Amino acid sequence: MTPSDASAGASAGRWSSLDRPPLNAAALKRALVTGDGLWTSLEVVARTGSTNTDLATRAAELPEGAVLVAEEQSAGRGRLDRSWVAPARSGLFFSVLFKPGDAVPQEQWGWLTLLAGVATATGLSRAAGVDTALKWPNDLLVSVEGEERKTGGILAERVADGVVVGIGLNVSLTEDELPVPAAGSLALAKASVTDRDPLLRAVLRSLEEWYGNWRAAGGDPAASGLQETYAAGCATLGRHVRAELPGGRTLTGTAEAVDTDGRLVIRTAEGKHEAVGAGDVIHLRSVH
């Protein structure tokens, strides 16, 4: 199913839960697509496979700042090709198109994943009054009854002349709707706001602000404040972790820093430091 097959004007029969009304696409466009900002288009579809796949397919013909939002995804993806499934209208599932061009060296484009994490956490703090921590490189964590749980994830994919960044965020999921016990939602974290319209506006405005600063700094993570802010909100730093690396190798140690390339620096028990640029990082219990 393509976005044109699944318009946001779906029949009222799909609005089965009064607690989960559809997004107001017209109001979102008026608020965000202003003509003088980053966002150049905003489309809300009722259902699609993956907003990242759809936007990546159309990226060459679209200007920077295109936003695609789905009320429901049937084939949402996380890192390492993991699936991302949630009930219709229970969260925010959207992708945005960035085209930094010559303003940012391509070797710095990898920071867009971390930038999206910082921007989402900042936007949620402002709009929902909920503390969101970052798990390197792309997970958003909330506290549910004192337990750290994943409530969102970010997936960045290179396209011909830019990057598509997808964000998935559990908003109103109840305990019995969670895909896995380690998952969470803003509602379970007792967020003050779970209305998806203001949450989406807040996250997109935060993305625009952070991206603008980063782009103006030529992609320099230090000069733009991105590296420092990410480190301050990263729950992985200071933790005992195990990194499962490409090729089947694992690395265990203490996560000490995020370097200028956005890599996680891990100190092993032997005192060696290794920078990890890709892999699955698991937070382990501290050893004493």
Side-chain angles (χ1 to χ4, degrees), residues 64-120:
E64 179 175 56
V67 182
L68 177 62
V69 190
E71 297 282 25
E72 182 180 10
Q73 289 189 123
S74 60
R77 292 171 294 129
R79 286 182 66 251
L80 308 178
D81 288 327
R82 292 174 179 141
S83 62
W84 181 284
V85 180
R89 303 177 307 283
S90 66
L92 290 172
F93 320 111
F94 64 99
S95 297
V96 299
L97 176 61
F98 294 115
K99 294 187 177 183
D102 295 335
V104 178
Q106 290 199 17
E107 56 267 27
Q108 295 293 343
W109 289 13
W111 269 98
L112 282 168
T113 299
L114 307 186
L115 184 152
V118 167
T120 302

Side-chain angles (χ1 to χ4, degrees), residues 194-277:
T194 55
D195 182 340
R196 294 178 305 138
D197 281 79
L199 293 178
L200 181 58
R201 287 197 301 269
V203 171
L204 286 173
R205 283 171 175 154
S206 184
L207 269 172
E208 180 174 15
E209 179 182 351
W210 276 103
Y211 177 73
N213 292 339
W214 175 76
R215 195 175 188 276
D220 187 320
S224 62
L226 179 57
Q227 184 177 10
E228 180 182 5
T229 305
Y230 186 88
C234 183
T236 304
L237 297 184
R239 300 278 284 269
H240 192 56
V241 300
R242 181 175 72 251
E244 298 178 350
L245 307 176
R249 190 167 73 92
T250 63
L251 178 68
T252 302
T254 301
E256 291 202 333
V258 174
D259 70 11
T260 54
D261 293 321
R263 299 176 301 176
L264 185 67
V265 179
I266 297 175
R267 176 175 53 82
T268 68
E270 295 76 30
K272 295 180 180 179
H273 290 81
E274 184 166 342
V276 174

Side-chain angles (χ1 to χ4, degrees), residues 1 10 16-17 22 24 41 47 49 86 108 134 137 155 178 193 198 226 235 251 282 286:
M1 184 179 290
S16 55
S17 172
N24 188 331
S41 66
R47 189 173 190 266
Q108 295 293 343
L134 302 166
L155 180 66
L178 297 174
V193 173
L226 179 57
L251 178 68
I282 296 142
S286 297

Side-chain angles (χ1 to χ4, degrees), residues 27-64:
L28 287 167
K29 287 179 188 176
R30 285 195 301 270
L32 295 162
V33 184
T34 60
D36 58 356
L38 172 63
W39 309 120
T40 51
S41 66
L42 189 147
E43 183 180 5
V44 180
V45 300
R47 189 173 190 266
T48 193
S50 162
T51 58
N52 254 35
T53 298
D54 291 343
L55 200 55
T57 299
R58 300 159 56 198
E61 66 195 51
L62 292 171
E64 179 175 56

